[in-house]
Amino acid sequence: MKSFAYARAADLETAVQLLSKTPNAKLLGGGTNLVDLMRENIEQPDALVDVTGLPLDRIQERPDGGLVIGATVRNTAVAVHPVVRDRYPLLAQAIVFGASGQIRNMATVAGNLMQRTRCLYFYDHAARCNKRAPGAGCDAIGGFNRMHAILGASDSCIATHPSDMCVALAALNAKVKVVGPNGERTIAFEDFHRLPEDTPHIETDLQPGELITGIEIPPLGFARRSLYRKIRDRASYAFALVSVAAALEVDNGKVRNIRLALGGVAHKPWRATEAERVLAGANAGPESFRQAAEAELAPARGLAHNDFKIELAKRTIVGVLGELAGG
Amino acid sequence: MPSPNQTPKAVPIPPAGSALILLKINGVDRSLSIDPRTSLLDVLREHLSLTGPKKGCNQGACGACTVLMDGQRVLSCLSLAVQLEGREITTIEGIANGELHPLQAAFIEHDGFQCGYCTPGQICSAIGMFQEFQNGLPSAVTGDMAAATIEFSDTEIKERMSGNLCRCGAYVGICEAIHSAFDREVAK
Ligand SMILES: Cc1cc2nc3c(=O)[nH]c(=O)nc-3n(C[C@H](O)[C@H](O)[C@H](O)COP(=O)(O)OP(=O)(O)OC[C@H]3O[C@@H](n4cnc5c(N)ncnc54)[C@H](O)[C@@H]3O)c2cc1C
Ligand code: SF4
Ligand code: FES
Ligand code: FES
């Protein structure tokens, strides 16, 4: 690991100043992703600004029934929160389906959003990787790509975003609150993470000098009936091959409200807007669920080892919606 | 609101090199001068000779380095010690209180280990796990996230302990030991 300077920021203003005025500085949350990447010399910051002492460690209820979750709240604290478990069960569920108990106790909400891909070539200095070294090429495309993207990939990068929590946040239309040298702004969740295009090293809309202060979750009554399902190579403690987060409201046999997002399939948490469109007002039954899944996965492209994910994603969508519809 | 034109007013980042930290480890205050790169695991093992926590993978995958931080289970290999100023750390060496912790006794009783390499991590993890369970934290096998009570079943224990690998495959004994140490508490 390269040597670095360390500072703990006590207030936001100091954190923003340290981050924007210290060359090659990075923020440090729980460290569960960054420390690992620094040890592998993939991340090489000259300075770390520790955000875990900032007053961003609270979950607040909004008068409208929504929530604001501070950036440094640990993942476990989100999953155990009574309001999250009651009003947004898919969020609690997505969190406990990720990593391990120990890691969830350390990981912060902002760190979870900013975690980097688990593409093995990204971790391997002997491999070519456009994300690690822009312009170098991508060894995953012709290599072993079982864990890689089927939607929204590019000729530059086929990596996936590994987060479970973010899939639920995408379905919930969350917003990311950030602050930087030019003040505060709020980013819609779907605009926060980017598709790879020809700049896979730029992963989010976060600008240099900006830091995440929290996540806003709008009220969503029907999310009380919601589900997160994760398909993986072993029963626990593995990244998703495919995952589905969904909330469904059925009225008189018809879909009244639907939210659907997929994980493990793209460079970003994938909000399934096409499937949602097909399902609006449709019969809440297996035929329309299958139609919606077909529509969402129509642009999917499989590679040598991940082709199976296309059908897997469709079936997981149908299964989850079927369970939510009570069938 | 941060104003961009001011120079940083506080905590100028010290040059890379050494940092002074204060930690409470197994009830004893320790003041340490360390390189900021040092993980909590290396502080425990190399600086304080607390070799209970093990370095299995050093990348978050095995759980052998699990310790309790302010009562919560964490991975010491992914924690930078410099970040933990003022925290209270408990390792396996600090679990017994005059006599063995009930879970330590149960591990012996139920053959919760073979080589013992993963055991310090398993025991610290299970203690933290049980506290999470008592706090009402659901798991991936709980089903109803809003459930008021969760059964302390084999399935729950296995899922909640999945961050601790055992190369000897002592899982059956580990699960029995956890039941025998904690089932009584659940009933309370
Ligand atoms: C073995 C293992 C298995 C895992 N399995 C899963 C899994 O199945 N599912 C899953 O979802 N995750 C999994 N994870 C990943 C885990 O969820 C992430 O490592 C964790 O969420 C990162 O949070 P952190 O606070 O530790 O981030 P850090 O490691 O501290 O930081 C990560 C990134 O976030 C940036 N950052 C931190 N705070 C801020 C802020 N306030 N504003 C802007 N940027 C910030 C940092 O600069 C860094 O780039 C796994 C991790 C490990 C080690
Ligand atoms: S898929 Fe992306 S992260 Fe993986 S090797 Fe290719 S460019 Fe790198
Ligand atoms: S040594 Fe820390 S998890 Fe393996
Ligand atoms: S007892 Fe040998 S690794 Fe678990």
Side-chain angles (χ1 to χ4, degrees):
Chain A
M1 193 185 296
K2 210 179 89 180
S3 171
F4 60 87
Y6 167 89
R8 163 173 277 234
D11 58 74
L12 264 184
E13 193 178 333
T14 313
V16 169
Q17 289 187 353
L18 285 172
L19 181 63
S20 47
K21 307 224 158 147
T22 316
N24 196 20
K26 276 198 87 82
L27 300 170
L28 176 65
T32 60
N33 190 220
L34 186 54
V35 170
D36 190 27
L37 290 168
M38 286 168 63
R39 205 170 268 153
E40 300 290 337
N41 283 317
I42 292 160
E43 301 271 19
Q44 304 192 329
D46 290 317
L48 289 184
V49 180
D50 183 352
V51 297
T52 57
L54 294 176
L56 300 173
D57 58 348
R58 288 178 45 212
I59 300 180
Q60 287 165 287
E61 277 188 73
R62 299 199 314 195
D64 65 3
L67 283 180
V68 180
I69 303 177
T72 61
V73 175
R74 309 291 168 155
N75 289 1
T76 303
V78 179
V80 78
H81 196 277
V83 173
V84 174
R85 288 162 54 199
D86 183 44
R87 292 184 206 158
Y88 307 105
L90 79 171
L91 177 57
Q93 206 168 20
I95 290 173
V96 296
F97 264 92
S100 68
Q102 292 95 315
I103 293 171
R104 296 191 292 265
N105 283 341
M106 304 166 74
T108 62
V109 165
N112 191 311
L113 258 69
M114 297 296 292
Q115 65 174 298
R116 306 203 66 190
T117 186
R118 293 281 160 169
C119 171
L120 291 177
Y121 301 97
F122 172 67
Y123 272 80
D124 178 2
H125 284 281
R128 291 176 305 165
C129 170
N130 286 321
K131 194 183 276 301
R132 184 168 22 81
C138 168
D139 274 348
I141 292 175
F144 185 64
N145 43 43
R146 177 173 167 81
M147 297 302 290
H148 290 77
I150 51 173
L151 287 164
S154 73
D155 293 340
S156 298
C157 176
I158 58 169
T160 56
H161 193 266
S163 169
D164 293 295
M165 184 185 80
C166 289
V167 185
L169 291 175
L172 289 169
N173 257 355
K175 294 194 180 85
V176 185
K177 292 170 58 176
V178 309
V179 65
N182 301 317
E184 296 175 32
R185 65 188 183 109
T186 302
I187 307 168
F189 205 77
E190 62 193 63
D191 299 330
F192 185 76
H193 296 98
R194 297 165 48 121
L195 287 176
E197 297 176 354
D198 52 9
T199 51
H201 58 290
I202 305 173
E203 292 164 351
T204 69
D205 185 42
L206 205 66
Q207 302 301 310
E210 281 186 328
L211 69 95
I212 300 169
T213 57
I215 305 290
E216 269 177 35
I217 306 180
L220 191 71
F222 72 98
R224 277 205 161 84
R225 192 158 179 73
S226 63
L227 208 60
Y228 184 75
R229 183 171 294 169
K230 180 177 181 181
I231 313 295
R232 42 189 164 175
D233 278 328
R234 56 180 186 221
S236 188
Y237 204 15
F239 289 96
L241 290 165
V242 164
S243 70
V244 171
L248 176 67
E249 183 178 21
V250 177
D251 189 20
N252 261 327
K254 305 272 188 213
V255 174
R256 180 150 179 215
N257 272 303
I258 171 77
R259 290 290 180 79
L260 192 66
L262 309 178
V265 295
H267 199 257
K268 60 187 281 187
W270 190 264
R271 177 74 180 274
T273 45
E274 193 52 29
E276 289 181 2
R277 199 187 54 75
V278 170
L279 283 168
N283 279 330
E287 294 81 24
S288 11
F289 296 160
R290 182 74 202 187
Q291 267 171 20
E294 294 286 354
E296 190 62 48
L297 275 299
R301 260 189 41 210
L303 293 154
H305 310 102
N306 69 355
D307 209 35
F308 73 99
K309 279 192 180 187
I310 299 176
E311 181 59 22
L312 184 63
K314 291 177 188 171
R315 291 190 193 182
T316 312
I317 292 173
V318 174
V320 165
L321 294 179
E323 188 170 332
L324 285 173
Chain B
M1 180 55 44
S3 26
N5 299 325
Q6 290 170 11
T7 43
K9 64 170 191 269
V11 268
I13 290 191
S18 74
L20 199 69
I21 55 158
L22 210 78
L23 293 174
K24 190 173 219 144
I25 296 172
N26 297 332
V28 182
D29 284 322
R30 303 281 197 161
S31 159
L32 298 154
S33 169
I34 53 162
D35 183 303
R37 287 174 288 190
T38 320
S39 68
L40 174 60
L41 180 60
D42 284 342
V43 163
L44 295 171
R45 291 182 57 88
E46 310 298 333
H47 295 236
L48 300 173
S49 299
L50 292 167
T51 53
K54 298 288 185 280
K55 192 180 277 188
C57 66
N58 214 26
Q59 53 182 22
C62 74
C65 65
T66 305
V67 298
L68 297 167
M69 185 171 83
D70 297 336
Q72 292 201 321
R73 52 177 175 163
V74 296
L75 299 177
S76 58
C77 72
L78 292 184
S79 305
L80 291 178
V82 71
Q83 237 195 325
L84 307 180
E85 172 76 28
R87 301 282 197 161
E88 225 177 302
I89 310 295
T90 308
T91 69
I92 191 70
E93 288 89 344
I95 295 290
N97 189 4
E99 53 189 289
L100 289 183
H101 184 282
L103 186 61
Q104 290 176 309
F107 261 68
I108 296 171
E109 174 86 0
H110 294 271
D111 278 339
F113 50 84
Q114 245 181 62
C115 76
Y117 190 84
C118 71
T119 315
Q122 299 279 4
I123 290 178
C124 289
S125 182
I127 291 172
M129 178 276 292
F130 188 65
Q131 190 55 52
E132 292 160 13
F133 181 84
Q134 294 290 66
N135 293 344
L137 178 72
S139 85
V141 297
T142 304
D144 179 6
M145 291 293 112
T149 51
I150 303 169
E151 198 198 336
F152 196 57
S153 63
D154 277 6
T155 337
E156 283 285 353
I157 292 175
K158 286 177 185 168
E159 164 58 28
R160 290 167 192 262
M161 291 296 292
S162 70
N164 290 85
L165 307 187
C166 172
R167 296 296 295 271
C168 300
Y171 296 111
V172 174
I174 293 170
C175 199
E176 284 173 10
I178 292 173
H179 270 303
S180 92
F182 293 131
D183 279 356
R184 245 167 307 136
E185 301 283 314
V186 179
K188 278 183 198 162

